[in-house]
Amino acid sequence: MRSMASPGGTFDQAAYVDFMTTPDSHNDAYASSYHRMFFQNRAAGKPLRECPSNDGHNVDAIDGLIIPAVVLLGGATQPEAAARQAAQESVRVTRHSPRVEQFVGEFSTMLRAVLKGQTAAEVAQASAARLLGSPIDTSEDDPVVACYIDQNFVSMLHLLSKYHSFEELVLANANSGGENVHRGLVLGALIGAQVGASGIPPELKSGLHHGAAIEAEVQAFVAARI
């Protein structure tokens, strides 16, 4: 968001490395596999463009849709094909994952449909028809899944199809367990696109640490991109 909110700014390897290596920029104790592999390659002296990698196991994961979510929202006023291409290119900044890029295409179709007025539940069922050949059975229990993008994306479609209000959906995602954190960021983008900022219950935002700073960053992003 910060990269894209700056004049002419883009999210590239230099911006990524700068953020990850600046003391106190994030203070996150957890580092996903793609982070560790990227910086292992960087420490070995590889050019930054050659540092994204894949272990054939943990890199093709739902967290690969987080950066593309921001890029897709930043390209909301552009033709969908252009926004989708930029989002797929953003995957390559941090990881090598053609599989994640395929899901970026599906995610782009869904997000653009919500922005045009369909509900998140409607686009989730349409996505299920494309990916699975059948609708989601919302009578089934909420799935508990790991990070792998194929099963986690389907679990997201289940939640989006089953829970129709913002608060009900995000709480169901939190309570379902499994790899619900990065999934929550992706489904939050979709249901947030449906309800808008005014449709998010204030009590879910007012207690956030650095809430005012986050709000300022959101507004700067919107001003620069929308």
Side-chain angles (χ1 to χ4, degrees), residues 100-117:
V100 168
E101 290 189 41
Q102 290 178 345
F103 276 96
V104 168
E106 182 63 25
F107 181 38
S108 176
T109 298
M110 294 175 67
L111 185 60
R112 190 60 63 107
V114 174
L115 291 172
K116 289 183 176 180

Side-chain angles (χ1 to χ4, degrees), residues 25 28 51 64 66 69 79 98 102 115 123 129 154 158 160 179 186 193 201 213:
S25 64
D28 191 347
C51 288
I66 304 308
Q102 290 178 345
L115 291 172
V123 302
V154 172
H158 170 94
L160 287 166
E179 213 299 39
V186 181

Side-chain angles (χ1 to χ4, degrees), residues 65-151:
L65 297 182
I66 304 308
I67 291 168
V70 177
V71 176
L72 288 171
L73 288 169
T77 61
Q78 300 174 347
E80 195 269 339
R84 181 177 64 249
Q85 180 179 348
Q88 289 171 326
E89 291 174 353
S90 75
V91 173
R92 302 168 206 163
V93 172
T94 63
R95 74 185 76 204
H96 173 70
S97 180
R99 188 60 177 154
V100 168
E101 290 189 41
Q102 290 178 345
F103 276 96
V104 168
E106 182 63 25
F107 181 38
S108 176
T109 298
M110 294 175 67
L111 185 60
R112 190 60 63 107
V114 174
L115 291 172
K116 289 183 176 180
Q118 294 187 52
T119 67
E122 290 170 341
V123 302
Q125 289 288 18
S127 178
R130 288 190 294 270
L131 297 176
L132 306 175
S134 61
I136 296 290
D137 182 358
T138 57
S139 67
E140 295 184 355
D141 293 339
D142 296 345
V144 181
V145 299
C147 65
Y148 312 115
I149 193 164
D150 290 75
Q151 61 180 342

Side-chain angles (χ1 to χ4, degrees), residues 163-185:
Y163 301 101
H164 297 165
S165 78
F166 183 95
E167 186 168 19
E168 187 180 31
L169 173 60
V170 298
L171 291 178
N173 175 71
N175 289 328
S176 66
E179 213 299 39
N180 56 0
V181 176
H182 293 108
R183 181 181 63 204
L185 290 166

Side-chain angles (χ1 to χ4, degrees), residues 1 5 197 205 211-226:
M1 284 180 63
K205 297 187 289 184
I214 293 170
E215 176 65 20
E217 291 205 37
V218 170
Q219 294 301 330
F221 177 78
V222 171
R225 293 288 167 170
I226 308 298

